Amino acid sequence: MVRRLRGVMKREFKKPSRAKRGWAVQEWKKIILGFSKGRTGQHNALVVMLCALGPFRPVAATNITVKYEIRRNGAGKPCVRYLGGSGIWVERSDPRWPRPYIVVHLKRDKNVNASKVRFVPIPDVCMGVRPVRMLEDYLVGVGPPSGGKLLVAPHGASGFRNTRYTACCALFKRMHNTAFPNLGDDRVGGGTPPKVDARVDVACRAFPAKNRGCLRMEYSRQTSV
């Protein structure tokens, strides 16, 4: 038993010297509202939002794929239609939850493999932001390539990079230093945004896995800032 517990600790915990701290709620609010409205600003805000509210490690978030098409609704406004095989979509027909919410089919992360995938819900209002609106505004307005990585970086006026986004750590540090130029970025890195919403997972972890999705969203809604 002791040997097994030591093995789990080695797999799932970092050395204290490498641990990253989470942003306080006040820091999160100022950082998430500090992005520009352009293509790059919307992309960067989406990166931070997904890493914080998944919560996802950067490598997991940047490997999310999206398949979709843009159509016009009855009023002539553009709307998103998610296609089969997409790794992220908005669920609007769940009888257990009256509001739309994001679902992420997580295929790549620590403790995730082909036989052990995760479906992660993100509510439409959480921690002072509107994730569903952020996602679909990005898909409609910026338009990353369907069938590719959702968070591939925009390039130029209308193009995109052809490689997976890998600048999460630098982005988190830069946004923190912009919002709080006098605090420094010690222990701010790839593990910082996932710890913002850690209280949600801790609160819901005691419940059976099949019930955690709705419980997590309800808890997020009640504790939104």
Side-chain angles (χ1 to χ4, degrees), residues 96 204 207-216:
R96 301 169 300 172
C204 298
F207 294 91
K210 65 180 181 180
N211 297 328
R212 285 180 197 164
C214 287
L215 285 165
R216 186 178 188 281

Side-chain angles (χ1 to χ4, degrees), residues 23-192:
W23 286 320
V25 172
Q26 292 78 6
E27 291 177 296
W28 160 259
K29 290 171 66 177
K30 191 169 183 179
I31 288 168
I32 198 65
L33 295 175
F35 292 97
S36 67
K37 301 302 181 182
R39 300 178 78 236
T40 299
Q42 284 185 271
H43 167 269
N44 292 346
L46 194 63
V47 172
V48 174
M49 183 274 287
L50 286 173
C51 286
L53 302 186
F56 301 131
R57 296 176 179 85
V59 69
T62 57
N63 272 289
I64 296 171
T65 59
V66 63
K67 294 183 180 180
Y68 70 103
E69 61 184 14
I70 305 299
R71 292 187 171 185
R72 298 279 176 177
N73 61 17
K77 294 182 179 180
C79 59
V80 182
R81 177 176 179 268
Y82 299 91
L83 304 179
S86 181
I88 186 170
W89 64 92
V90 174
E91 180 61 59
R92 290 184 163 90
S93 58
D94 187 344
R96 301 169 300 172
W97 193 255
R99 303 280 301 174
Y101 60 90
I102 294 172
V103 180
V104 177
H105 184 189
L106 199 64
K107 298 180 181 180
R108 181 172 179 179
D109 196 5
K110 185 182 288 186
N111 304 318
V112 173
N113 53 49
S115 61
K116 189 180 178 182
V117 298
R118 292 170 56 202
F119 290 90
V120 182
I122 301 175
D124 66 326
V125 179
C126 186
M127 298 292 287
V129 297
R130 296 183 175 274
V132 171
R133 181 184 298 176
M134 290 177 68
L135 171 64
E136 298 199 327
D137 283 354
Y138 184 73
L139 294 177
V140 171
V142 180
S146 178
K149 307 293 186 188
L150 170 66
L151 298 179
V152 62
H155 180 59
S158 59
F160 292 87
R161 301 286 183 183
N162 57 10
T163 56
R164 182 176 66 86
Y165 185 71
T166 58
C168 290
C169 184
L171 170 64
F172 303 153
K173 287 179 178 288
R174 184 171 69 251
M175 293 309 301
H176 183 271
N177 289 336
T178 299
F180 304 97
N182 299 322
L183 291 184
D185 57 12
D186 184 45
R187 293 187 180 273
V188 172
T192 293

